[in-house]
Amino acid sequence: PAPPTAAEASRFLAQSSMGATRAEIDKVVSRGYAGWIDDQIAMARPTSYWGWLVAGGYNVAANSNSYAGFDAMVWSQLIGAPDQLRQRVTTALLDILVVGIDGLNAQWRPFLMAAYMDVLADNAFGNYRTLLGAVTTSAAMAYYLTYLNNRKADARTGAMPDENYARELMQLFTLGLYRLNNDGTQQTSNGAPIDTYTQADVTQLARVFTGLQLANNDNSSPDRMRLPLVMTASLHESGTSTVLGASINGADGMGAVNAALDTIFAHPNVPPFIGKLLIQRLVTSNPSPAYVARVAAVFADNGKQVRGDLAAVVRAVLLDSEARGSAALTRAQAGRLRTPVERLTGWARAFGATS
């Protein structure tokens, strides 16, 4: 294809970065869309969110109950980091796999968020199944969706496992409420959408996410907040759970977690559901079913029989004819509103703001 014009490069960067700069526009013109994406995916992270906080000296005991450093940590990377495609995909994933700092009922909240955002950033071009595993064993997610120290049912008291994560994992992170065709349209029966899962699936899946705890009890520093959760057998439901028609053996706690995630990841809803969400956060709020189908096909198989390859999915989203073609420039329902964060970072990057 012909090299993109500066205007076309700017439009591309509106979809693939936190804001265009003159230098970045020139890179896209020089390298082409695919070349720029390849360069960005190959780029090492200059620093982690966690490392930024530590370098700033925020890991002192006096900050254990404060928000100190959090805002500056995030803005510094969104505005200043060179790995802009990773930053943009990370913010998209944070919109999908949501954790918010104000919802963390714990000490060292900036570090909890830093560890979680590092999970998203480190896996932004990895595999979605790997990302689901890292999110599930993240301390931040466990605090946010209240399954930290989740216990098996107690017949004496009537206590049941917390269902929060089990429900949100299926509803928001993987499947959605209704069964989908490959193009993201809903499957129906007698004119009504078909539920993807039942309350019984939620209850059974909640049994799987019992027994997960922090890796240690040392709260003198934030270090344990970035360690993966560990399984405590005495709190875990060791019986068999049935999730989406699959039997999950609970005898091995982490084995059961992985089996449940494998079952959900293999569901046919995942490619169109996640594909459409990424399109909406990068390119357009109203993608055509054909656009969703093309991206879902890449999610299902990257061409090498690998499912969930996010690097391939991001390429498919950004290089699709509906993203790069000129028809969207005159179509009223095309495009998307910039978020307030993108509006600010776009201004700051364009004008070289450094603080």
Side-chain angles (χ1 to χ4, degrees), residues 12 59 69-71 82 99 104 124 136 149 165 172 207 211 214 221 233 244 250 274 282 294 343 355:
F12 170 76
N59 56 338
F70 174 70
D71 284 343
V99 169
L104 298 175
T136 299
N149 302 319
Y165 186 64
L172 301 178
R207 291 156 49 94
L214 295 177
S221 77
L244 301 173
I274 297 301
L282 299 177
R294 290 189 292 270
R343 188 176 183 187
S355 174

Side-chain angles (χ1 to χ4, degrees), residues 142 146-152 209-214 235:
T146 64
Y147 62 97
L148 186 67
N149 302 319
N150 196 12
R151 295 172 177 266
K152 61 185 178 182
F209 299 118
T210 53
L212 290 168
Q213 296 188 302
L214 295 177
L235 303 181

Side-chain angles (χ1 to χ4, degrees), residues 225-271:
M225 298 306 188
R226 67 170 171 170
L227 298 176
L229 302 177
V230 297
M231 181 63 67
T232 300
S234 61
L235 303 181
H236 178 70
E237 175 54 66
S238 59
T240 298
S241 300
T242 303
V243 180
L244 301 173
S247 294
I248 309 296
N249 185 349
D252 174 5
M254 288 308 298
V257 169
N258 284 319
L261 293 177
D262 287 343
T263 296
I264 294 169
F265 181 64
H267 194 281
N269 259 39
V270 178

